[in-house]
Amino acid sequence: MMSMLTMLTLAQAADGPTPPTFWMPTGASAHASNVDSMMWWINLIMWAFLALNTVLTVYFVWKYRHKVGTKFRTDGPDHNGPLELAWTVGPLLICVVLFVFGFKGYLDVRTPPKESYDINVTAYKWGWQFKYPNGAQSDDLVIPAGKPVRLVMRASDVLHSCYIPAFRVKQDLVPGRYTYLWFQSDFPTGMDQPTDGHHLFCTEYCGTGHSNMNRRVYVLPQEQFDAWTTKQANWLDEIPEEELYWKAGPKLYARCVQCHSLDGTKGIGPSWKGIWARVTGGEGSNGAFADGSTYSGLIGAGKQYATAEDYIRASIYNPGEHLVQGYGNVMPTFKGQINDKGIDALIGMMKKLDEFDPKTGAWLKTPPAAAPTASAK
Ligand code: CUA
């Protein structure tokens, strides 16, 4: 009982994350104290009635038990107006009060503040992609402390559900529809130790890789957060030119894989298999475009594209200009999403496709011993 009362007061204090309890993990968002005190009050009331009903039942069973030798009574009172009114109106009032507080809490959780910081979330089989306003991307969620954050969420394949227990929020992600989730955490977690941060789960069973969607949520002080997003947005700049194709290539290819296979499987777009041979006049280069042009007619000195690299670059920035025969005009432009260095990385990967796993796109070789090992991240 004592620990429960302590919890009630703790749940209402807001000067630090609430410690984990038997029921819930650390509470680290503005919603947490509300949700927790609601849960404790509902529990308290439930336990009180459980105790009252149990004690009365046992007592009456004992008091009014049939005694040997006494007459079996059938003439007891059949109702008691004031008593019936009390046990109807009393619980009703309790339910109304719980509803009012619960509904207010629900509206708070469902209504993001206008000035919130937006992070775009895509759930896919099986992972999360978090995109920040400056173009930075991450697999784990990183948020600024002391600022309302709104997740603008969509699913690219099946139903997923985003659950952050420490923030007391959960929301489904539905294909073809946007859903929101918002919260504010005032307590930085750091992100260097394996135990730093909070859990983020997918709580909608979405297939064999469902458990791979367990990630972390890191809360950083604003300054550190800004530095982190800036660094994330410019990650390409830090990779030396000669390591670009295997360090950045597979990471960038992750955005192409849904349409372009590496093993020759026909997808929404043409497979990358043999692409360098095709565009440089080797095997497969006779494959015409939908508009009748050919690789050799388009690429070369004095033609539309001076080099094969120019052609690849143009196909990424302006995919609809020359459609390969048999494929629709469905690829979005990647202008503004991938810079010249990123294009170099992809072209480098296309030139050495035999060094990559044809299924996953992972680089199959090991970096030369001299290469800096900090790349493991
Ligand atoms: Cu995604 Cu379970």
Side-chain angles (χ1 to χ4, degrees):
M1 193 66 182
M2 207 42 229
S3 71
M4 205 169 67
L5 289 175
T6 322
M7 262 326 294
L8 282 176
T9 24
L10 275 180
Q12 277 150 359
D15 37 307
T18 56
T21 66
F22 178 73
W23 304 110
M24 297 300 280
T26 297
S29 76
H31 300 314
S33 60
N34 255 335
V35 172
D36 289 358
S37 62
M38 271 305 283
M39 198 185 84
W40 278 106
W41 278 112
I42 290 172
N43 263 297
L44 198 67
I45 293 165
M46 183 194 75
W47 289 332
F49 275 99
L50 178 70
L52 183 73
N53 289 4
T54 309
V55 166
L56 285 181
T57 306
V58 171
Y59 173 69
F60 288 150
V61 163
W62 171 78
K63 183 169 182 345
Y64 299 111
R65 71 193 184 281
H66 180 68
K67 295 183 190 94
V68 183
T70 52
K71 195 169 148 259
F72 196 84
R73 279 184 65 171
T74 53
D75 59 339
D78 54 15
H79 78 276
N80 181 320
L83 198 57
E84 284 170 21
L85 213 60
W87 77 45
T88 307
V89 174
L92 182 71
L93 285 179
I94 294 174
C95 287
V96 168
V97 170
L98 288 179
F99 171 79
V100 168
F101 280 101
F103 190 61
K104 196 188 160 296
Y106 175 78
L107 288 183
D108 286 347
V109 171
R110 301 303 309 174
T111 318
K114 278 205 185 70
E115 74 283 13
S116 54
Y117 178 83
D118 278 4
I119 298 173
N120 276 308
V121 183
T122 305
Y124 58 93
K125 291 196 292 192
W126 285 280
W128 304 90
Q129 189 186 46
F130 301 102
K131 281 191 206 165
Y132 304 81
N134 73 340
Q137 294 179 28
S138 65
D139 301 328
D140 291 299
L141 177 60
V142 183
I143 63 164
K147 201 181 215 179
V149 171
R150 183 174 72 152
L151 303 184
V152 180
M153 312 194 292
R154 77 282 278 155
S156 63
D157 33 48
V158 298
L159 278 178
H160 302 271
S161 184
C162 179
Y163 179 35
I164 308 173
F167 294 171
R168 311 289 192 263
V169 290
K170 187 196 275 186
Q171 174 64 51
D172 277 8
L173 291 89
V174 185
R177 183 191 295 183
Y178 290 94
T179 51
Y180 299 133
L181 199 58
W182 89 271
F183 41 77
Q184 173 173 336
S185 183
D186 297 338
F187 319 112
T189 60
M191 62 184 302
D192 306 319
Q193 306 301 320
T195 50
D196 282 349
H198 309 293
H199 288 291
L200 183 148
F201 299 115
C202 175
T203 47
E204 193 77 60
Y205 180 64
C206 52
T208 50
H210 169 63
S211 59
N212 296 343
M213 295 185 73
N214 295 355
R215 307 300 310 197
R216 306 294 288 178
V217 181
Y218 301 108
V219 186
L220 300 181
Q222 186 72 49
E223 255 176 49
Q224 234 174 298
F225 176 79
D226 291 340
W228 178 85
T229 46
T230 308
K231 187 164 182 272
Q232 280 305 108
N234 302 316
W235 64 280
L236 262 173
D237 299 342
E238 291 165 16
I239 301 176
E241 210 63 54
E242 64 276 12
E243 295 175 3
L244 206 54
Y245 81 97
W246 61 266
K247 261 188 186 170
K251 202 169 163 183
L252 291 166
Y253 171 71
R255 294 170 73 182
C256 317
V257 64
Q258 278 162 351
C259 301
H260 299 283
S261 75
L262 296 182
D263 61 359
T265 310
K266 190 178 164 170
I268 294 166
S271 175
W272 282 15
K273 190 180 183 185
I275 187 169
W276 202 249
R278 286 202 293 281
V279 296
T280 50
E283 193 189 339
S285 64
N286 295 327
F289 289 88
D291 57 13
S293 47
T294 60
Y295 287 106
S296 50
L298 287 175
I299 305 168
K303 299 173 187 161
Q304 186 177 358
Y305 310 107
T307 62
E309 283 87 344
D310 283 330
Y311 161 74
I312 300 281
R313 185 170 181 277
S315 311
I316 295 171
Y317 282 161
N318 192 8
E321 191 167 9
H322 297 288
L323 294 173
V324 173
Q325 187 80 55
Y327 296 94
N329 185 11
V330 290
M331 177 168 158
T333 174
F334 280 79
K335 219 173 228 162
Q337 298 196 46
I338 180 167
N339 60 18
D340 280 342
K341 203 163 173 189
I343 302 255
D344 286 349
L346 287 176
I347 291 175
M349 188 175 168
M350 288 172 181
K351 286 179 180 172
K352 300 185 178 178
L353 270 188
D354 52 324
E355 292 182 20
F356 295 86
D357 185 311
K359 283 290 173 205
T360 64
W363 196 50
L364 296 172
K365 296 172 75 169
T366 39
T373 46
S375 64
K377 270 201 161 169

